[in-house]
Amino acid sequence: MTFAPFTLADLEPTQMGLIAFIIFIAIVALVMMAVMFNFGGLWLRAYTSNARVSFFELIGMKLRQVNAGTIVDAKIMAMQAGVGTDPETGITTKRLEAHYLAGGDVPRVINAIIAAQRADIDLDFDRAAAIDLAGRDVLDAVRTSVYPKVIDCPDPAKSPRTTLSAVARNGVELKIRARVTVRTNLAQLIGGATEDTIIARVGEGIITSIGSAATHLEVMENPDRISKAVLQRGLDAHTAFEIVSIDIADIDVGENIGARLQADQAEADTRMAQAFAEQRRANAIALEQEMKAQVAANRAGVLLAQAEVPLAMSDAFRQGNLERTAANGSR
């Protein structure tokens, strides 16, 4: 007994449709299993945390080469902390993806926003992301706003000198070391000057204040006059920081620059007077030599005149003028 080979042509249309449907269902099941295997854990974490991240968004992140775990964790932190819950202007999945693709540090931005909200500081996602993309540490900026930090002036890590040197009007040098307490100004963090500008401005202000003092004793008796004078100048303008206080940590008396300068000036004046005297002496010697040369020239002229006398007498003898003159004289 033989059997004819079975082909799809032997199937009825309803049977073929059923087979195609079964194959489609199997493919869909396989795709769903693959999606669940890859993103099931992330989706479940987001769903239980009310982070609103769908499977399609997770698949899109995979295709765009975005670390879905980083985005989901950041959104979960934001939702749990209660920041950026507005679906239009808040911390959305698209915004987090855009910041990630731009090279930003998404977890650090979320941590900064949470810390700012806890400290009652106005910091939204757009500003935090801009600060992060500008190359500034946004989390450290928020922490510095809450807990001001102290900057040494001068900074021993950046300058070979450990003190500022200034001279009062009486010429006495004072060596000062100051400590500047600053907090971050988030509104001017982008484009604002850095710590180096604060150090330079404070150093300039201290030197100017000491230079305007009549004596160094006034500064040593009342050091806070320097701090008040420097703070009144608004040295934190256009910087990323707000100066809280300026404290004089140490004051030492240095050299008496005025006395040394006066001594140097006196020595210079002495040398100049000596140079002028030497010049006058040289001029006198030169004039003396000129006079001697002139005397010698006059003597030579006299000798030449005396040498011409015998010649004139001999010429007179030859012409007979000398005898005639003698005869006339005898008469």
Side-chain angles (χ1 to χ4, degrees):
M1 184 178 179
T2 60
F3 296 93
F6 178 76
T7 61
L8 294 177
D10 296 333
L11 297 176
E12 296 180 0
T14 56
Q15 293 175 336
M16 293 183 64
L18 180 60
I19 293 173
F21 179 74
I22 292 172
I23 294 174
F24 175 75
I25 293 298
I27 294 174
V28 171
L30 289 174
V31 172
M32 292 183 63
M33 288 177 62
V35 172
M36 289 295 296
F37 179 78
N38 286 285
F39 305 108
L42 287 175
W43 178 84
L44 184 61
R45 274 196 296 162
Y47 178 78
T48 55
S49 303
N50 195 24
R52 299 191 189 93
V53 180
S54 64
F55 277 108
F56 294 104
E57 289 177 331
L58 294 174
I59 295 172
M61 293 181 204
K62 183 69 174 178
L63 296 175
R64 288 187 289 271
Q65 296 183 352
V66 175
N67 192 333
T70 300
I71 303 299
V72 171
D73 290 340
K75 193 166 185 182
I76 289 173
M77 283 193 298
M79 293 300 113
Q80 292 297 317
V83 297
T85 56
D86 190 342
E88 297 296 333
T89 61
I91 302 175
T92 62
T93 305
K94 290 183 178 180
R95 285 189 168 190
L96 293 174
E97 280 192 69
H99 188 64
Y100 181 91
L101 291 172
D105 192 338
V106 174
R108 203 162 188 82
V109 169
I110 299 301
N111 287 327
I113 295 174
I114 295 173
Q117 190 233 17
R118 295 292 186 268
D120 196 18
I121 298 174
D122 184 18
L123 180 66
D124 55 13
F125 179 79
D126 290 336
R127 183 183 296 177
I131 293 172
D132 184 55
L133 292 178
R136 298 292 182 88
D137 192 337
V138 61
L139 182 57
D140 181 70
V142 173
R143 289 173 178 170
T144 306
S145 298
V146 179
Y147 301 103
K149 67 178 179 179
V150 177
I151 303 174
D152 290 327
C153 181
D155 190 353
K158 299 179 181 179
S159 174
R161 304 182 62 181
T162 57
T163 58
L164 292 172
S165 179
V167 181
R169 285 192 293 177
N170 65 342
V172 178
E173 178 191 22
L174 292 179
K175 297 181 179 180
I176 291 184
R177 183 168 56 88
R179 308 196 76 183
V180 186
T181 304
V182 297
R183 66 160 57 98
T184 304
N185 188 350
L186 294 175
Q188 297 183 358
L189 188 58
I190 300 177
T194 59
E195 296 179 10
D196 295 337
T197 302
I198 293 289
I199 294 173
R201 290 182 179 179
V202 171
E204 178 187 358
I206 291 174
I207 293 173
T208 303
S209 299
I210 295 175
S212 62
T215 64
H216 68 287
L217 297 177
E218 294 181 2
V219 179
M220 299 189 69
E221 290 174 359
N222 194 10
D224 61 339
R225 62 171 289 178
I226 301 176
S227 304
K228 293 178 181 178
V230 174
L231 285 173
Q232 290 174 357
R233 299 180 62 183
L235 301 179
D236 52 5
H238 305 294
T239 66
F241 300 96
E242 176 187 352
I243 297 178
V244 178
S245 66
I246 300 175
D247 303 307
I248 305 302
D250 188 21
I251 298 181
D252 293 327
V253 178
E255 300 180 13
N256 193 333
I257 304 296
R260 191 180 68 184
L261 291 176
Q262 290 178 358
D264 293 343
Q265 184 64 43
E267 185 179 356
D269 293 341
T270 302
R271 291 180 180 176
M272 187 176 296
Q274 290 176 351
F276 287 152
E278 188 66 26
Q279 183 178 2
R280 290 194 296 269
R281 177 174 173 276
N283 292 336
I285 294 174
L287 182 61
E288 180 184 3
Q289 296 298 323
E290 289 179 1
M291 293 298 101
K292 288 181 179 180
Q294 188 173 359
V295 169
N298 293 335
R299 287 179 179 175
V302 171
L303 292 176
L304 289 175
Q306 290 177 353
E308 290 179 357
V309 171
L311 295 177
M313 292 179 64
S314 62
D315 186 41
F317 275 119
R318 282 196 298 271
Q319 296 179 2
N321 294 330
L322 186 61
E323 294 178 353
R324 260 183 229 153
T325 301
N328 291 332
S330 63
R331 288 176 189 177

